[in-house]
């Protein structure tokens, strides 16, 4: 998926929807990795940092493009830096990705 996005970027044909889909999938994967970090022997701190970064990137994209699909938009006051993982879960649930 990231290769397709890079080629699309190089061709100048990337759309906000393509970028959002990539960011959502990446953030959902990072949330799953964080949840399983201890069980898989991954570094929990690295997993936390990755989950926070990818959640923030998705949230910023959705704020800029008003492109949420869940019930609460990215601009809703509920969303704070401390709970952007919940935002990712909301958006992943809306997309059928279920990152639990």
């Amino acid at each position: 998926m990231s290769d397709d996005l890079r080629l699309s970027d190089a061709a100048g044909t990337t759309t906000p929807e393509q970028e959002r889909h990539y960011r959502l999938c990446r953030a959902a994967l990072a949330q799953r990795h964080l949840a399983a970090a201890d069980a898989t022997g991954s570094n929990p701190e690295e997993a936390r940092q990755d989950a926070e970064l990818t959640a923030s990137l998705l949230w910023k994209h959705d704020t800029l493009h008003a492109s949420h699909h869940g019930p609460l938009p990215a601009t809703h006051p509920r969303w704070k830096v401390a709970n952007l993982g919940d935002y990712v879960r909301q958006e992943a649930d809306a997309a059928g990705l279920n990152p639990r």
Side-chain angles (χ1 to χ4, degrees), residues 33 36-44:
H33 182 228
D38 286 333
T40 61
S42 296
N43 182 321

Side-chain angles (χ1 to χ4, degrees), residues 55-76:
S56 177
L57 291 172
L58 173 66
W59 176 77
K60 287 176 183 176
H61 182 273
D62 283 357
T63 299
L64 179 64
H65 296 283
S67 55
H68 75 283
H69 296 284
L72 297 178
T75 56
H76 192 278

Side-chain angles (χ1 to χ4, degrees), residues 1 3 7 10 15 23-25 29 34-35 48 59-60 67 72 76 91:
M1 181 185 300
D3 287 340
L7 290 174
T15 65
R23 290 182 188 275
L24 175 59
C25 289
L29 180 62
L34 176 59
R48 184 192 60 75
W59 176 77
K60 287 176 183 176
S67 55
L72 297 178
H76 192 278
E91 293 303 304

Side-chain angles (χ1 to χ4, degrees), residues 63-92:
T63 299
L64 179 64
H65 296 283
S67 55
H68 75 283
H69 296 284
L72 297 178
T75 56
H76 192 278
R78 179 188 194 291
W79 306 124
K80 311 258 187 275
V81 172
N83 70 350
L84 290 182
D86 292 340
Y87 180 74
V88 171
R89 282 185 283 284
Q90 169 193 278
E91 293 303 304

